[in-house]
Amino acid sequence: MTTTTTTTRARPAALTLTPSAEARIAHLMASAPEGAIGVKLSTPRRGCSGLAYSVDYVSEEAKFDEKIETPGGVFYVDGGSVLYLIGSTMDWVEDDFTAGFVFNNPNAKGSCGCGESFTV
């Protein structure tokens, strides 16, 4: 009888977080409401192009969510959103007038004029 061994390798995360995005997650987790275990990215259907990016606190792990460990806390990607986000980069950008997460998503085929939503 031969024994076989299965080896697993780490798979790359669905998206890459810049150091600035990781720092923002650390800041959010430092002031998170009680019971929050991390921050979660999802792509709910809304806006004029169909899908939008939504970042919220999460209080429990969902079975199919992707979990990304960052130096400042756990970042989750909604399991139903992963396919829309593979290969994306998430950044945190601040200037004199605005501050927010910015996404470079190679899967987005278009976006609305205001930049609030995208299509795949």
Side-chain angles (χ1 to χ4, degrees):
M1 178 173 183
T2 9
T3 54
T4 58
T5 57
T6 303
T7 56
T8 58
R9 61 182 171 86
R11 62 185 165 93
L15 76 151
T16 303
L17 301 168
T18 66
S20 181
E22 288 182 348
R24 183 61 183 174
I25 291 166
H27 173 77
L28 290 170
M29 290 308 298
S31 58
E34 187 176 329
I37 62 166
V39 176
K40 182 176 181 174
L41 171 63
S42 61
T43 55
R45 296 201 176 280
R46 70 170 180 242
C48 36
S49 287
L51 296 171
Y53 301 104
S54 179
V55 180
D56 301 291
Y57 290 110
V58 63
S59 57
E60 62 184 47
E61 242 180 70
K63 184 176 181 178
F64 295 106
D65 286 354
E66 177 153 339
K67 183 178 181 179
I68 301 171
E69 300 283 347
T70 75
V74 181
F75 182 74
Y76 295 91
V77 179
D78 174 66
S81 300
V82 169
L83 288 176
Y84 305 126
L85 299 168
I86 291 174
S88 296
T89 301
M90 180 175 157
D91 194 10
W92 176 259
V93 177
E94 290 184 47
D95 64 25
D96 291 341
F97 303 103
T98 61
F101 287 110
V102 175
F103 299 88
N104 179 359
N105 185 344
N107 305 299
K109 302 297 182 223
S111 62
C112 63
C114 63
E116 291 291 319
S117 61
F118 67 100
T119 57
V120 289

